[in-house]
Short mmCIF file of all heavy atoms in Angstrom, two decimals:
data_model
loop_
_atom_site.label_atom_id
_atom_site.label_comp_id
_atom_site.label_asym_id
_atom_site.label_seq_id
_atom_site.Cartn_x
_atom_site.Cartn_y
_atom_site.Cartn_z
N LEU A 267 -12.21 0.44 -37.96
CA LEU A 267 -12.56 -0.11 -39.27
C LEU A 267 -12.48 0.96 -40.36
O LEU A 267 -11.95 0.71 -41.45
CB LEU A 267 -13.96 -0.71 -39.21
CG LEU A 267 -14.49 -1.35 -40.50
CD1 LEU A 267 -13.59 -2.51 -40.92
CD2 LEU A 267 -15.92 -1.82 -40.34
N GLY A 268 -12.97 2.17 -40.07
CA GLY A 268 -12.87 3.25 -41.05
C GLY A 268 -11.44 3.62 -41.36
O GLY A 268 -11.07 3.87 -42.52
N TYR A 269 -10.60 3.65 -40.31
CA TYR A 269 -9.18 3.96 -40.52
C TYR A 269 -8.51 2.90 -41.38
O TYR A 269 -7.75 3.21 -42.31
CB TYR A 269 -8.49 4.06 -39.16
CG TYR A 269 -6.99 4.11 -39.24
CD1 TYR A 269 -6.33 5.30 -39.55
CD2 TYR A 269 -6.22 2.97 -39.00
CE1 TYR A 269 -4.95 5.34 -39.62
CE2 TYR A 269 -4.85 3.01 -39.07
CZ TYR A 269 -4.22 4.19 -39.38
OH TYR A 269 -2.85 4.23 -39.47
N MET A 270 -8.79 1.63 -41.11
CA MET A 270 -8.18 0.55 -41.89
C MET A 270 -8.62 0.60 -43.36
O MET A 270 -7.79 0.41 -44.26
CB MET A 270 -8.53 -0.80 -41.27
CG MET A 270 -7.91 -1.03 -39.91
SD MET A 270 -8.40 -2.60 -39.16
CE MET A 270 -7.72 -3.76 -40.32
N LEU A 271 -9.90 0.88 -43.61
CA LEU A 271 -10.38 0.94 -44.99
C LEU A 271 -9.77 2.13 -45.73
O LEU A 271 -9.31 1.99 -46.88
CB LEU A 271 -11.91 1.03 -45.01
CG LEU A 271 -12.65 -0.23 -44.55
CD1 LEU A 271 -14.16 0.03 -44.53
CD2 LEU A 271 -12.33 -1.41 -45.45
N LEU A 272 -9.75 3.30 -45.08
CA LEU A 272 -9.23 4.50 -45.74
C LEU A 272 -7.73 4.39 -46.02
O LEU A 272 -7.26 4.59 -47.15
CB LEU A 272 -9.54 5.72 -44.88
CG LEU A 272 -9.07 7.07 -45.42
CD1 LEU A 272 -9.76 7.38 -46.75
CD2 LEU A 272 -9.33 8.18 -44.41
N VAL A 273 -6.97 4.06 -44.98
CA VAL A 273 -5.51 3.98 -45.14
C VAL A 273 -5.12 2.79 -46.00
O VAL A 273 -4.18 2.86 -46.79
CB VAL A 273 -4.85 3.91 -43.75
CG1 VAL A 273 -3.34 3.77 -43.89
CG2 VAL A 273 -5.18 5.16 -42.95
N GLY A 274 -5.87 1.69 -45.90
CA GLY A 274 -5.57 0.53 -46.75
C GLY A 274 -5.78 0.82 -48.21
O GLY A 274 -4.96 0.42 -49.06
N PHE A 275 -6.86 1.53 -48.55
CA PHE A 275 -7.10 1.89 -49.95
C PHE A 275 -6.03 2.86 -50.46
O PHE A 275 -5.55 2.72 -51.60
CB PHE A 275 -8.49 2.52 -50.09
CG PHE A 275 -8.81 2.95 -51.50
CD1 PHE A 275 -9.18 2.01 -52.46
CD2 PHE A 275 -8.75 4.29 -51.86
CE1 PHE A 275 -9.46 2.41 -53.76
CE2 PHE A 275 -9.04 4.69 -53.16
CZ PHE A 275 -9.40 3.74 -54.10
N ALA A 276 -5.65 3.84 -49.63
CA ALA A 276 -4.60 4.78 -50.05
C ALA A 276 -3.27 4.06 -50.25
O ALA A 276 -2.54 4.33 -51.22
CB ALA A 276 -4.47 5.89 -49.01
N SER A 277 -2.94 3.12 -49.37
CA SER A 277 -1.68 2.37 -49.51
C SER A 277 -1.72 1.49 -50.76
O SER A 277 -0.71 1.38 -51.47
CB SER A 277 -1.45 1.51 -48.27
OG SER A 277 -1.43 2.30 -47.10
N PHE A 278 -2.86 0.88 -51.04
CA PHE A 278 -2.99 0.07 -52.25
C PHE A 278 -2.82 0.93 -53.50
O PHE A 278 -2.19 0.50 -54.48
CB PHE A 278 -4.34 -0.63 -52.26
CG PHE A 278 -4.61 -1.41 -53.53
CD1 PHE A 278 -4.06 -2.68 -53.71
CD2 PHE A 278 -5.38 -0.88 -54.55
CE1 PHE A 278 -4.28 -3.39 -54.88
CE2 PHE A 278 -5.61 -1.58 -55.71
CZ PHE A 278 -5.07 -2.84 -55.88
N ALA A 279 -3.38 2.14 -53.49
CA ALA A 279 -3.25 3.03 -54.64
C ALA A 279 -1.79 3.41 -54.88
O ALA A 279 -1.31 3.44 -56.02
CB ALA A 279 -4.11 4.28 -54.44
N VAL A 280 -1.06 3.68 -53.80
CA VAL A 280 0.36 4.03 -53.94
C VAL A 280 1.15 2.84 -54.47
O VAL A 280 2.00 2.98 -55.38
CB VAL A 280 0.92 4.51 -52.60
CG1 VAL A 280 2.43 4.71 -52.68
CG2 VAL A 280 0.25 5.81 -52.17
#
Side-chain angles (χ1 to χ4, degrees):
L267 181 61
Y269 169 80
M270 292 177 64
L271 291 176
L272 180 62
V273 178
F275 179 77
S277 303
F278 175 81
V280 173

